[in-house]
Amino acid sequence: DNKIPVFELASEIDCNVKVSESIFTNNKASSGSCILISDLTSSKSAKKIIIHNNTFTENENTGRSGVIKGALYVNTAQATFSGDNYFYNNYATYNGPETSDEYGAYGASIYIQQTLREAFTLEGLYFEGDSTSHAGSSIFIYGIDSSGINRGNDIKVYGCTFTNCKS
């Protein structure tokens, strides 16, 4: 049982990093219990963290303040998904007071923040039994284009499977 993220990236990537063929089970943190990219830079870099053919099971993200983000807290500038990634029974729970606009638990498996105005695709991911105390039981997307002005910069979720997920 980890109490901090298993893999954390705190600055811009200067080389490709591939997390592949790994199993993440029973990890605990307030956000990003498995993979946390805390540098939400908007710079465009060709270097990425590649999340490829992994399994994320029963990872817990809980907290009493702020926004609680899922097992993977990543951004569109620095992360990409490939192959078959499976997410089972991950959860995010907010246990604090509901006193401000900036609270809650979102995206039990993936909380993704759009940091560049370009298209991004999540494809072929499998989710089962995920739950959150607020919204986005499996995936929560924090987009930068809420006005709809920059069409074509969408985050697309394509060919994914969701089974028994709830918020």
Side-chain angles (χ1 to χ4, degrees), residues 58 87-91 108-109 126-132 137-138 161-166:
E58 297 180 4
F87 300 86
Y88 300 104
N89 301 315
N90 296 300
Y91 60 97
S109 284
Y126 181 85
F127 302 91
E128 184 176 329
D130 290 339
S131 66
T132 61
S137 63
S138 293
T161 300
F162 300 88
T163 303
N164 296 323
C165 301
K166 62 183 177 181

Side-chain angles (χ1 to χ4, degrees), residues 33 47 77 83:
S33 59
K47 306 303 182 190

